[in-house]
Amino acid sequence: MLKYSGQTRVLVAVDCIIFGFDGESYKLLLIQRGFAPEKKKWSLMGGFVQPEESVDEAANRILKELTGLENVYMEQLHTFGALARDPVERTIAVAYFALIDIQKYEKQLSKEYHAEWFPFKDMPDLIFDHGQMVEMAKNRLRYKASLHPILFELLPEKFTLPQLQALYEGLYDTTFDKRNFNRKLLSTGLFLKQQDKDKDSSKKGAFFYKLDQSKYLTNFEAFLKFIPNPEKFLIT
Amino acid sequence: MLKYSGQTRVLVAVDCIIFGFDGESYKLLLIQRGFAPEKKKWSLMGGFVQPEESVDEAANRILKELTGLENVYMEQLHTFGALARDPVERTIAVAYFALIDIQKYEKQLSKEYHAEWFPFKDMPDLIFDHGQMVEMAKNRLRYKASLHPILFELLPEKFTLPQLQALYEGLYDTTFDKRNFNRKLLSTGLFLKQQDKDKDSSKKGAFFYKLDQSKYLTNFEAFLKFIPNPEKFLIT
DNA sequence: GCAAAAGTGTTTCCTCTACACCCATGG
DNA sequence: CCATGGGTGTAGAGGAAACACTTTTGC
């Protein structure tokens, strides 16, 4: 096969910002690098794009390596192409962010990679420009979640309204009026009330809900206003 | 300098989706490729990322080569990494979209590249995955413009309210009530009414407005609702 | 004087917000 | 029986949408 001549080829890496929510706070899954440079420093899970896979496939492969999960919500975030972002050799990084149910990932794999979940408030310094990637991913998630039903990817199949509220309040680091919040969420018609209750977190117990999968899939890109006064919270 | 060993390096290209608005309709600046493969076919303006420039710098260089313009609104759109997107050799493309004042570009340069402006309705088939890039860029622009003051980048310094309305109506391929539209736009406080009128497009003449640059810059990322019922028009 | 486009106000409706009490249960 | 968290309704304010006529002026 002919090639383009006289052009320089560069390394292309994929880095994954992996979000989880434990009912209390948002967390990111980070790994401790096992190799130089910056060995032992904390980093996003990443890897180089291989010759026989697309960039999207590389992202899914890398996510699966660390979490064991497939068919997870993942979206391309941004491509980072500064000259010296990797001191070893010029590398262009395509960043993706993923939302996973924190219960589902395989702890075993995490151990192999020396991975840990870090809450937003308590994040270590990251190598290279990974801190910048994380900031951008947080902003993007806040932005998108204010308009689209996306955060449910972080929850297990069954969840309660108080859990849902904690999910939104955690992301925007604020509190919402529960009457208004419940009304708004339920008015989307995306939720199916279940018969059973979650009795773990209160004496009365809170009813479980599930997503109405058919409506969820067709309304996934719907344009809804999930939080009041989004301009107070959003960047970009 | 040490290198990462055993990894494959690939070509990285930048492609620019260049939007313009001539008062009537939206257009894209396309070039006729002067080299194989797909010589003579229409294409986005693009080029390879060079060893001594960042990806963003490459995008600005490429935009300038074709239009002569610098300091133009440009935003990274998406990175396209399918395996066979370029039949010659594996190439990963970072797409950017730019909004320019169609009056300002240098026609001379366009000629050298055999460039032409094509209205949305009348676009030729494009090489590779450039058609897909264009679709994504149009969706992104519609999305972003519904919430943020961004379309003014397409207009000259002085513009009239009817021009502004045509700008929005053209993007969403619809019509708006001019009373509600003017009220909404003016209520942003972004516009300064000028003394003089544009007498070209009507007998009565329409007052010129300018952007209030200070407010424009600070509100650029503001979260405003520019069009009614955005859910009717938007994808992602 | 008339055609063509610019400009301007009001009413209605609906959505958003603020706000407080009762309910169910486990201990 | 009481402490804890879950669940619900309403009234008021503000924003969005629908709607039609007057103004200007070149021809």
Side-chain angles (χ1 to χ4, degrees):
Chain A
M1 195 205 262
L2 241 92
K3 300 274 180 179
Y4 293 109
S5 61
Q7 297 296 339
T8 305
R9 284 130 187 100
V10 296
L11 282 173
V12 176
V14 162
D15 289 304
C16 293
I17 297 108
I18 303 168
F19 288 99
F21 179 75
D22 65 2
E24 295 266 308
S25 58
Y26 280 76
K27 305 203 162 164
L28 288 181
L29 189 57
L30 302 175
I31 65 170
Q32 210 170 10
R33 268 169 84 97
F35 53 96
E38 309 268 20
K39 191 172 171 175
K40 291 275 177 184
K41 288 257 190 85
W42 291 98
S43 149
L44 295 170
M45 180 73 180
F48 295 110
V49 176
Q50 299 300 308
E52 297 305 322
E53 66 184 358
S54 70
V55 179
D56 287 350
E57 284 162 2
N60 283 298
R61 169 177 61 77
I62 287 161
L63 184 73
K64 188 178 177 191
E65 277 177 31
L66 183 60
T67 64
L69 298 174
E70 289 178 284
N71 297 119
V72 154
Y73 183 84
M74 184 148 65
E75 186 178 324
Q76 190 184 302
L77 175 66
H78 191 79
T79 294
F80 293 79
L83 266 176
R85 50 170 301 283
D86 184 324
V88 176
E89 173 180 353
R90 177 158 204 196
T91 305
I92 287 167
V94 187
Y96 286 75
F97 72 92
L99 305 180
I100 72 173
D101 174 357
I102 202 168
Q103 309 298 340
K104 281 205 190 136
Y105 84 108
E106 294 184 21
K107 297 192 176 67
Q108 190 50 42
L109 290 167
S110 286
K111 261 184 207 149
E112 286 173 31
Y113 283 98
H114 301 279
E116 266 182 50
W117 287 99
F118 287 89
F120 284 4
K121 323 255 164 186
D122 194 24
M123 297 247 307
D125 282 342
L126 301 180
I127 63 162
F128 303 169
D129 50 3
H130 288 194
Q132 198 189 336
M133 292 180 183
V134 167
E135 279 310 302
M136 193 182 286
K138 283 158 71 173
N139 285 332
R140 179 77 65 87
L141 183 61
R142 288 196 185 107
Y143 190 96
K144 187 144 190 176
S146 76
L147 297 166
H148 304 282
I150 184 182
L151 293 185
F152 315 110
E153 302 286 343
L154 292 162
L155 294 180
E157 193 191 357
K158 287 163 60 174
F159 48 84
T160 66
L161 291 178
Q163 280 170 27
L164 215 48
Q165 188 166 352
L167 183 72
Y168 277 84
E169 291 183 341
L171 185 59
Y172 298 101
D173 196 21
T174 184
T175 56
F176 299 120
D177 180 274
K178 66 179 166 181
R179 286 161 293 189
N180 294 335
F181 182 84
N182 289 355
R183 194 185 1 246
K184 182 173 294 186
L185 271 282
L186 292 177
S187 75
T188 62
L190 291 173
F191 304 102
L192 297 171
K193 191 173 189 173
Q194 304 302 110
Q195 301 280 319
D196 50 337
K197 284 182 162 185
D198 168 31
K199 309 276 288 184
D200 290 345
S201 58
S202 80
K203 294 167 184 169
K204 184 176 178 183
F207 279 105
F208 280 118
Y209 286 79
K210 281 187 185 177
L211 279 175
D212 182 331
Q213 284 299 331
S214 63
K215 288 189 187 163
Y216 180 55
L217 295 173
T218 56
N219 288 20
F220 194 73
E221 298 295 357
F223 203 75
L224 307 162
K225 198 180 164 208
F226 278 105
I227 66 160
N229 304 317
E231 66 280 6
K232 286 187 191 161
F233 304 108
L234 300 179
I235 302 174
T236 298
Chain B
M1 196 208 260
L2 242 91
K3 300 273 179 179
Y4 292 108
S5 61
Q7 297 295 338
T8 306
R9 283 126 187 106
V10 296
L11 283 174
V12 176
V14 162
D15 289 305
C16 293
I17 296 108
I18 303 169
F19 288 97
F21 179 75
D22 65 3
E24 295 266 307
S25 58
Y26 280 76
K27 305 203 162 162
L28 287 180
L29 190 57
L30 302 175
I31 65 170
Q32 209 170 11
R33 268 169 83 98
F35 53 94
E38 310 267 20
K39 192 171 171 178
K40 292 278 177 184
K41 288 258 190 84
W42 291 98
S43 149
L44 296 170
M45 180 73 180
F48 294 110
V49 176
Q50 298 300 309
E52 297 305 323
E53 66 184 359
S54 70
V55 179
D56 287 350
E57 283 162 3
N60 283 299
R61 170 178 57 77
I62 286 162
L63 183 74
K64 188 177 177 192
E65 277 177 30
L66 182 60
T67 64
L69 298 174
E70 287 179 286
N71 297 118
V72 154
Y73 183 84
M74 185 150 64
E75 186 178 324
Q76 191 184 300
L77 175 66
H78 192 78
T79 294
F80 293 79
L83 265 178
R85 50 170 301 284
D86 185 325
V88 176
E89 174 179 352
R90 177 158 205 194
T91 305
I92 287 167
V94 187
Y96 286 75
F97 73 93
L99 306 180
I100 72 171
D101 174 357
I102 203 168
Q103 311 296 343
K104 280 203 189 137
Y105 84 108
E106 294 183 20
K107 296 192 177 69
Q108 190 51 40
L109 291 167
S110 285
K111 263 185 206 146
E112 287 173 31
Y113 283 98
H114 302 278
E116 266 181 50
W117 288 98
F118 287 90
F120 284 3
K121 322 255 164 185
D122 194 25
M123 297 248 306
D125 282 342
L126 301 179
I127 64 162
F128 304 171
D129 51 3
H130 288 195
Q132 197 190 336
M133 293 178 182
V134 167
E135 279 311 302
M136 194 182 286
K138 283 157 71 173
N139 285 333
R140 180 76 65 87
L141 183 60
R142 289 197 184 105
Y143 191 96
K144 187 143 191 179
S146 76
L147 298 166
H148 304 283
I150 183 181
L151 294 185
F152 315 111
E153 301 287 342
L154 293 162
L155 294 179
E157 193 190 359
K158 286 163 60 176
F159 49 83
T160 66
L161 291 178
Q163 279 170 28
L164 214 49
Q165 189 167 351
L167 183 72
Y168 277 84
E169 291 183 341
L171 185 59
Y172 299 101
D173 196 20
T174 184
T175 56
F176 299 120
D177 180 275
K178 67 179 166 180
R179 286 162 292 190
N180 293 337
F181 181 85
N182 288 354
R183 189 176 325 116
K184 182 174 293 186
L185 271 281
L186 292 177
S187 75
T188 63
L190 292 173
F191 304 102
L192 297 171
K193 192 173 188 173
Q194 305 301 112
Q195 302 280 319
D196 50 337
K197 283 183 165 187
D198 168 31
K199 307 277 288 185
D200 289 345
S201 57
S202 80
K203 295 165 183 173
K204 185 176 178 181
F207 279 103
F208 280 118
Y209 285 79
K210 282 187 183 177
L211 279 175
D212 182 331
Q213 284 298 332
S214 63
K215 288 191 187 160
Y216 180 55
L217 295 173
T218 55
N219 288 20
F220 193 74
E221 299 294 357
F223 203 75
L224 308 162
K225 200 182 163 206
F226 277 105
I227 65 160
N229 304 317
E231 65 280 6
K232 286 187 192 161
F233 305 107
L234 300 179
I235 302 173
T236 296

